[in-house]
Every structure is written in structure tokens, then in C-alpha cells.
């Protein structure tokens, strides 16, 4: 009888930039959406509460007593080894095919598996139970001699295999005496010899990823950690359009029972800015180039007007928020949300987050497409919105649902938009435009200094920037003033602001976004990227040893797959929130680059 499956975030991402999946600690595919990341989760056991036998694809080994997992080096190809009490063992290799062929990238809506006996005489049972309609029902099946069709929706999934189809359909245990191959993908006959083709796909996929990694400019220290984060960030890009999702999941609670359950399978302009910035630092320009194409389409659609904080990976603007009635949620902690009402919010930081990555398109001579005067005119329309909205209330980067104020972070992002437009105009020889944008940047700076600065009150509260123009509370995003070049690390105003933030928001080895109550009460968990911002600030403040120690502590909180989610319980160390969270992986990459010894020490 199968052992109970522990539901936690010890998950291993696989994918091909079209579909993605999460494999649990026993080798079960427990999360996977089709035909793309924001589609119906045909594998949804992760959010199915106690019912872990539906919405899953598992290989169950009779008498299993242990499992171990690892990626093939520098790839998202996962090997799970299952061992039984009698010494028998099997190896399960999971991947989503991705490689170049016939002049294009092959990245089908497909999950591939190879199951091998590696010791003794293992007996296995295959449990393949995809669902449809957001967990509403198990998919009906039809089958042939060597395939099974799963009727998960308008487009069925077809399993092509050299395993006994009857054993799969009846979930009957059998002795595994040779390698078995599985291709769960489009509803069309599998072309070629299944065994040879799946092995060729795996080798081609392995080579693609290892060549991609070879082109990364990693720091000397923590190379494996950075490489793993870079691969996973790339998996979060929907290559067809260039959009980058904030995470691969929906509705993992930010804290137990909090109902802070959100659908992160969409492209936030802000999150994507941080992702491409981190990958740029590693030289992964392919992700940037695709994303800039996505941004150009978003800007075109906006026609000079308001830009939303998030869109679907296809650029859809309406992301109506509903709930999945048939899924009880992660550990039964619903609701499971589909869509995200934040698309209706006003968040003015997005204009700066469009300008900043786009500027590279004018300057970086490595790019295949260099931006031109028409692109600059289009980007100026975004800058006009940044200028118009820099002192207007918004929901802020933390997406408050019930209040609006003028958030300092949004104002600084508007300043950054004008500042970078001035720099770009000068680069293009447009001195009149450069002068205009410099003047606007200076005006926004004066506004921030006037409205967001609080003087020392003489009662132990040092002078500091505040989170909003209206209210004096602290927000970890103020630490981004350095990265955005609004302040220098040695500026007394930054130093006093950092001291105030550390005193107010630090919880031991972790950092809150803010300590004030929001729409759901007081925060119960630390926000991982804010802890990485703390580490950066410690280093810039000359406390590098402390920063390195704290960085190592954060690395110790990663899953076996090298991932982090959005949030962390600062008392227990347990991970919460959607997974893997791009913000958190960005934090690992940025801090590793900042804290690493230089390559010159070994060259």
C-alpha cells in the first residue's frame, strides 16, 4: 500500500518555456497546467488537500522506504531514485523536451518520463490521473494498443508508451524488467520509434540547457546556486510571447490559514523587471530580448494611456478573479484563486519598470534588434505617464486592496523613468529631449525630498524616508533607492533610513515588507526578497561579513531543488507562498554577485 504523501514545498520544477511541472519528493507530478502556465491544472494534487490520488502522475514502488532526487547538472532534467526494503530500486527521469530543430525551437505541450530498473526486481504501479475543469473531475479515457487518450478538455492529452497499456489503465502492479518510456503530449500519433525518440529528446534537451548555462557570466562563489536560479527563472518565461510569470503556481498561502492566496501565473511588469535585471547581470540576453518584444506590444496596446501592473502571458488585460470550487487548496487552506484582481489596480511604479529594461535596447550592441527613434518616441509616451503620475496615489508595489496613497517607491520609479529617458536621449543625440527629461527628473526628486523625508524628532526616531507621502511608516522597498541610483550608499539620508528600517522591520535573520496592518491584518511571515534587500544594504553599509552570514542562512532555507517560495515563517523556517517565486530567486542571484570574490582571484 502506498505511503501517505506529504504535501509541502519540497518541489522540483521542470519545464520547457511552454509548459512546466512540479515534482514532489516521491517523484509525483503534482502540479502542471496546459496548454500553458496559466491554463487548467490537469495535475493539481498540490492544491487538492488530502486527496493526493487525483491530479497526479506517480510511479509507486512496492515496499518503498526511501527516495532521493537530483537534477542532471546544469539542466532542469530531474532524476528521482526510489528504493524498496528488499533492495530493489528504480530511477525516474522527468523532463519537458526543449531543443532546436528544423529552424525553430521544439517545446511541445508535453511531459516525458523514462522509468528504469536499477537494482533487484522492482515491482511498480503507475498512477496517472489527470483532472479537468480545475479539479472538477478525473479525465475520461480512451485507448489503443500503445496509447491512452485523456479527455482533459477541448484538446485531449495522449500518452504514448511502451509500457503495458492495460497495467497503466488498471493501475496494476507489475515487475519492471526493462526501461519504459512515456510521452504525455498532443493528441496525435507519436512519430518514430518511441524508445529512440524519447532518448534522443532527452539528450537534445540536456545539450540545449548545458549550452545555455555555458553562456552565463556567473560569480565565482555560489555558482551552482546561481545557475539553478537562472534556469528556473528562464522556465518562468513564456517564450511564445516573452512574458515572464511571477511564479508557476496559484494560491499557496503566504501564511497558514491567512487566505492570502493569490494567482501568480501572470506577468507583473514589476516582477519581470527584476527578473530580466538579474539575468542581465549573468548575460542571459535571450530572456531580455523576448521580454522587450512583449513590452513593446503592451505599450502599443496602451496607446499612451494607463498601463496595468500585470497582464496574462498572451497580453490579455482582463484577469477576472474567481475561485476553484472543487479544489480545497494547499493542505486544505483555500481558496484556490483563478485570475488576479490586482489587474484593476493603479500602480504607478510600472512606468519606470518599463523604461529601465527598455533603455538597454538602445545601448547594448550585442542585441539582435537595436531600438530606434520610433521606439524612443513610444517610450517617451510611457515617460509622460510616469511624469503625470509621480505624485498621485496608487495601491503601491505591495498591492493594497483597500487604500491608496502616494507611495515613495512609485515616485522613485517615476524619477528613474525620467532620469533614464534623459540618459537615452543624450545617447541618441537628442539634447532638447534630454534637457526636458532631466528637468522632470529633478522636479520629481525635489518632490520626494519634500514629501517623503521625515526629520529627526529628537526622541530617538532618526530622520528617514517614509513609505508614503501621507503616512509615516517604514517599508523595505525604500532600500531600493540605492539600486535605482536615487541615492548613494554613503548618503547620510540613506544610512539613517536603513537604520530605521532595520530596527522596525528586521526579525532576526529575516525582513518584513512592512509591520503595519494591511487588508488582512498584521504580516505573519517574512518576505524573502526583502531579506535579500537587507543583505545588499548590509554589504553596502560596510557590514559584509554579516551580509555573507545572512546570505548563507537564506541559502540554507532553500528546498532540495535549490528554490525558494515567496515567504518564510521567521520562527519555524517553513516556506510559504507561491513557488518558485521569481523575486526570491532574483535575490539569490543579485546577492551572490555582490558578495562573491572576483574571478581575478583564480585566473
Amino acid at each position: 500500500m502506498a505511503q501517505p504523501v506529504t504535501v509541502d514545498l519540497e518541489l522540483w520544477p521542470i519545464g520547457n518555456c511552454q509548459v512546466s511541472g512540479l515534482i514532489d519528493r516521491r517523484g509525483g507530478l503534482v502540479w502542471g497546467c496546459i496548454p500553458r502556465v496559466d491554463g487548467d491544472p490537469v495535475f493539481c494534487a498540490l492544491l487538492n488537500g488530502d486527496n493526493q490520488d487525483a491530479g497526479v502522475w506517480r510511479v509507486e514502488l512496492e515496499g518503498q522506504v526511501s527516495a532521493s532526487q537530483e537534477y542532471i547538472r546544469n539542466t532542469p532534467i530531474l532524476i528521482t531514485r526510489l528504493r524498496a526494503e528488499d533492495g530493489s530500486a528504480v530511477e525516474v527521469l522527468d523532463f519537458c523536451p526543449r531543443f532546436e530543430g528544423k529552424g525553430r525551437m521544439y517545446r511541445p505541450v508535453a511531459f516525458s518520463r523514462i522509468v528504469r530498473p536499477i537494482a533487484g526486481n522492482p515491482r511498480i504501479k503507475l498512477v496517472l490521473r489527470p483532472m479537468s475543469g480545475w479539479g472538477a473531475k478525473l479525465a475520461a479515457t480512451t485507448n489503443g494498443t500503445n496509447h491512452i487518450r485523456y479527455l482533459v478538455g477541448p484538446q485531449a492529452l495522449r500518452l504514448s508508451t511502451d509500457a503495458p497499456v492495460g497495467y497503466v489503465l488498471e493501475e496494476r502492479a507489475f515487475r519492471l524488467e526493462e526501461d519504459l518510456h512515456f510521452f504525455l503530449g498532443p493528441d496525435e500519433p507519436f512519430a518514430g520509434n518511441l524508445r529512440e525518440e524519447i532518448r534522443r529528446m532527452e539528450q537534445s534537451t540536456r545539450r540545449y540547457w548545458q549550452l545555455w548555462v555555458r553562456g552565463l557570466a556567473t560569480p565565482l562563489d555560489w555558482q551552482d546556486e546561481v545557475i539553478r536560479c537562472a534556469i528556473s527563472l528562464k522556465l518562468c518565461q513564456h517564450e511564445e510571447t516573452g512574458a515572464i510569470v511571477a511564479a508557476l503556481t496559484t494560491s499557496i498561502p503566504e501564511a497558514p490559514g491567512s487566505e492570502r492566496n493569490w494567482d501568480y501565473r501572470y506577468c507583473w511588469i514589476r516582477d519581470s523587471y527584476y527578473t530580466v535585471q538579474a539575468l542581465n547581470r549573468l548575460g542571459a540576453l535571450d530572456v531580455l530580448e523576448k521580454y522587450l518584444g512583449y513590452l513593446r506590444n503592451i505599450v502599443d496596446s496602451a496607446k499612451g494611456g494607463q498601463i496595468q501592473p500585470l497582464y496574462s502571458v498572451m497580453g490579455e488585460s482582463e484577469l477576472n478573479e474567481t475561485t476553484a470550487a472543487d479544489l480545497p487548496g494547499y493542505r486544505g487552506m483555500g481558496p484556490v484563486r483563478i485570475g488576479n484582481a490586482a489587474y484593476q489596480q493603479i500602480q504607478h511604479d510600472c512606468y519606470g519598470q518599463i523604461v529601465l529594461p527598455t533603455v538597454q535596447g538602445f545601448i547594448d550592441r550585442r542585441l539582435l534588434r537595436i531600438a530606434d527613434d520610433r521606439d524612443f518616441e513610444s517610450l517617451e509616451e510611457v515617460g509622460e505617464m510616469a511624469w503625470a503620475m509621480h505624485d498621485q496615489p496608487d495601491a503601491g508595489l505591495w498591492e493594497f486592496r483597500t487604500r491608496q496613497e502616494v507611495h515613495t517607491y512609485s515616485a522613485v520609479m517615476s524619477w528613474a523613468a525620467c532620469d533614464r529617458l534623459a540618459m537615452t536621449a543624450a545617447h541618441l543625440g537628442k539634447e532638447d529631449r534630454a534637457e526636458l527629461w532631466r528637468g522632470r527628473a529633478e522636479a520629481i526628486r525635489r518632490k520626494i525630498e519634500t514629501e517623503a523625508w521625515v526629520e529627526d524628532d529628537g526622541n530617538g526616531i532618526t530622520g528617514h524616508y517614509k513609505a508614503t507621502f501621507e503616512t509615516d511608516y517604514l517599508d523595505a522597498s525604500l532600500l531600493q533607492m540605492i539600486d535605482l541610483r536615487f541615492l548613494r550608499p554613503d548618503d547620510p539620508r540613506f544610512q539613517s533610513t536603513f537604520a530605521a528600517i532595520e530596527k522596525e522591520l528586521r526579525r532576526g535573520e529575516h525582513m518584513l515588507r512592512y509591520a503595519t496592518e494591511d487588508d488582512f491584518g498584521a504580516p505573519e511571515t517574512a518576505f524573502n526578497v526583502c531579506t535579500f534587500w537587507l543583505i545588499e544594504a548590509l554589504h553596502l553599509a560596510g557590514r559584509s561579513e554579516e551580509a555573507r552570514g545572512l546570505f548563507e542562512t537564506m541559502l540554507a532555507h532553500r528546498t532540495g531543488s535549490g528554490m525558494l517560495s515567496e515567504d518564510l515563517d521567521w520562527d519555524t523556517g517553513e516556506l510559504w507562498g507561491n513557488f518558485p517565486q521569481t523575486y526570491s530567486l532574483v535575490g539569490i542571484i543579485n546577492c551572490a554577485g555582490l558578495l562573491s570574490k572576483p574571478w581575478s582571484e583564480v585566473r
Side-chain angles (χ1 to χ4, degrees):
M1 185 174 178
Q3 299 172 356
V5 178
T6 301
V7 180
D8 58 23
L9 295 183
E10 274 294 335
L11 303 168
W12 298 70
I14 60 171
N16 62 7
C17 304
Q18 172 65 40
V19 291
S20 55
L22 296 175
I23 310 291
D24 71 6
R25 63 173 74 231
R26 295 180 63 231
L29 177 58
V30 295
W31 183 256
C33 303
I34 63 165
R36 56 179 187 256
V37 65
D38 59 356
D40 186 0
V42 293
F43 297 107
C44 54
L46 181 65
L47 300 184
N48 210 12
D50 293 333
N51 185 6
Q52 291 298 294
D53 290 324
V56 68
W57 185 6
R58 282 200 305 268
V59 177
E60 295 184 354
L61 174 64
E62 283 191 358
Q64 181 187 325
V65 293
S66 68
S68 62
Q69 291 170 296
E70 63 179 341
Y71 285 116
I72 293 176
R73 190 174 75 89
N74 293 353
T75 77
I77 302 173
L78 177 64
I79 296 175
T80 302
R81 296 183 181 91
L82 307 176
R83 297 191 179 277
E85 55 191 357
D86 65 0
S88 61
V90 300
E91 180 179 278
V92 182
L93 187 146
D94 280 294
F95 70 101
C96 296
R98 177 179 173 82
F99 50 88
E100 292 186 28
K102 299 180 181 179
R104 59 185 178 180
M105 187 65 68
Y106 179 69
R107 41 175 172 77
V109 179
F111 302 92
S112 298
R113 291 194 128 161
I114 302 174
V115 183
R116 299 184 172 111
I118 56 174
N121 298 304
R123 290 180 59 80
I124 65 168
K125 180 172 72 173
L126 296 166
V127 178
L128 177 48
R129 299 177 183 171
M131 305 191 79
S132 64
W134 281 84
K137 60 182 179 180
L138 289 170
T141 62
T142 64
N143 66 280
T145 306
N146 300 113
H147 76 269
I148 305 171
R149 297 174 67 241
Y150 293 89
L151 308 182
V152 294
Q155 291 183 315
L157 286 176
R158 178 186 289 240
L159 177 72
S160 299
T161 182
D162 52 8
V165 167
Y167 288 165
V168 178
L169 282 170
E170 297 181 16
E171 297 181 359
R172 189 176 300 279
F174 63 96
R175 181 185 287 201
L176 181 66
E177 296 182 327
E178 62 180 345
D179 296 1
L180 297 179
H181 304 79
F182 303 85
F183 184 86
L184 183 65
D187 187 20
E188 55 195 35
F190 191 91
N193 181 288
L194 183 80
R195 177 189 183 95
E196 293 177 1
E197 280 300 301
I198 290 182
R199 291 188 176 208
R200 182 189 65 81
M201 287 181 185
E202 188 273 324
Q203 289 296 314
S204 297
T205 300
R206 182 187 306 209
R207 179 169 176 78
Y208 167 82
W209 284 105
Q210 291 179 341
L211 287 176
W212 185 79
V213 167
R214 192 177 68 175
L216 298 179
T218 60
L220 174 60
D221 297 327
W222 304 293
Q223 290 182 57
D224 289 336
E225 292 86 345
V226 167
I227 287 169
R228 183 53 50 198
C229 290
I231 289 172
S232 297
L233 287 179
K234 185 169 174 65
L235 292 181
C236 289
Q237 182 167 54
H238 185 68
E239 188 170 68
E240 182 180 6
T241 61
I244 301 169
V245 297
L248 298 178
T249 59
T250 177
S251 304
I252 308 295
E254 293 181 13
S258 65
E259 296 193 10
R260 297 175 188 257
N261 301 12
W262 314 116
D263 192 347
Y264 277 14
R265 303 168 304 141
Y266 303 109
C267 183
W268 269 259
I269 303 299
R270 175 174 49 254
D271 300 50
S272 299
Y273 155 70
Y274 282 108
T275 297
V276 297
Q277 181 194 54
L279 289 175
N280 272 351
R281 289 168 175 167
L282 301 179
L285 294 182
D286 58 327
V287 176
L288 170 71
E289 287 183 306
K290 285 282 188 181
Y291 178 63
L292 291 182
Y294 178 80
L295 279 186
R296 286 191 291 271
N297 281 308
I298 294 297
V299 171
D300 286 350
S301 298
K303 295 181 172 59
Q306 177 190 331
I307 290 175
Q308 295 177 188
L310 69 154
Y311 296 84
S312 82
V313 296
M314 299 305 295
E316 173 61 43
S317 57
E318 291 190 16
L319 306 174
N320 295 317
E321 188 174 296
T322 59
T323 58
D326 297 296
L327 287 175
Y330 179 77
R331 299 186 188 171
M333 298 177 190
V336 172
R337 290 190 168 93
I338 310 164
N340 198 305
Y343 84 91
Q344 298 173 310
Q345 290 188 357
I346 305 298
Q347 296 179 27
H348 297 319
D349 57 321
C350 66
Y351 303 111
Q353 289 145 359
I354 290 175
V355 171
L356 266 61
T358 304
V359 162
Q360 187 170 346
F362 296 90
I363 298 169
D364 194 332
R365 304 302 297 177
R366 298 170 295 172
L367 298 177
L368 296 175
R369 181 191 185 278
I370 301 297
D372 57 23
D373 286 352
R374 288 172 298 175
D375 293 313
F376 184 71
E377 291 172 6
S378 178
L379 196 60
E380 281 194 301
E381 293 181 356
V382 179
E384 290 291 349
M385 288 297 294
W387 167 243
M389 299 298 168
H390 74 271
D391 59 353
Q392 297 302 303
D394 71 353
L397 81 161
W398 306 127
E399 300 184 341
F400 296 120
R401 293 199 166 198
T402 58
R403 68 174 188 260
Q404 290 195 351
E405 294 183 297
V406 182
H407 287 85
T408 304
Y409 175 85
S410 297
V412 172
M413 268 295 176
S414 293
W415 168 86
C418 296
D419 177 75
R420 303 314 193 270
L421 280 167
M423 178 188 71
T424 306
H427 175 77
L428 296 174
K430 301 176 183 291
E431 287 304 325
D432 58 331
R433 305 307 296 170
E435 183 177 351
L436 171 75
W437 290 110
R438 274 195 294 268
R440 288 178 169 181
E442 283 305 313
I444 296 175
R445 177 181 285 277
R446 289 193 297 271
K447 187 76 170 181
I448 292 170
E449 299 292 5
T450 300
E451 301 293 338
W453 179 255
V454 179
E455 294 290 351
D456 190 324
D457 69 354
N459 295 315
I461 303 298
T462 60
H464 60 271
Y465 290 98
K466 53 185 180 174
T468 72
F469 286 9
E470 297 89 343
T471 308
D472 184 8
Y473 72 94
L474 291 162
D475 177 341
S477 68
L478 296 169
L479 298 177
Q480 289 292 285
M481 288 178 157
I482 300 298
D483 194 61
L484 294 170
R485 302 205 302 268
F486 186 83
L487 296 175
R488 293 175 55 85
D490 58 358
D491 190 311
R493 288 193 168 200
F494 175 73
Q495 293 174 348
S496 62
T497 299
F498 175 39
I501 288 173
E502 188 175 14
K503 179 180 179 181
E504 180 73 15
L505 302 183
R506 186 169 178 177
R507 298 293 185 271
E509 297 170 327
H510 306 287
M511 184 76 117
L512 305 182
R513 289 176 286 186
Y514 46 82
T516 56
E517 290 195 0
D518 59 17
D519 315 328
F520 291 82
E524 301 173 65
T525 51
F527 202 72
N528 287 327
V529 75
C530 294
T531 303
F532 290 115
W533 291 348
L534 168 64
I535 292 167
E536 293 174 7
L538 288 170
H539 173 73
L540 295 171
R543 297 158 61 183
S544 295
E545 285 306 308
E546 184 180 354
R548 286 179 70 93
L550 190 53
F551 183 53
E552 292 286 1
T553 297
M554 284 301 293
L555 292 179
H557 287 296
R558 293 173 305 142
T559 62
S561 61
M563 300 293 100
L564 285 172
S565 63
E566 182 183 53
D567 308 278
L568 189 146
D569 186 313
W570 63 78
D571 287 327
T572 67
E574 185 171 10
L575 294 174
W576 290 89
N578 281 310
F579 181 94
Q581 172 74 359
T582 53
Y583 265 156
S584 301
L585 306 187
V586 163
I588 292 174
I589 291 173
N590 288 347
C591 287
L594 196 64
L595 300 172
S596 173
K597 297 187 294 291
W599 277 98
S600 59
E601 289 196 10
V602 297
R603 284 176 176 162

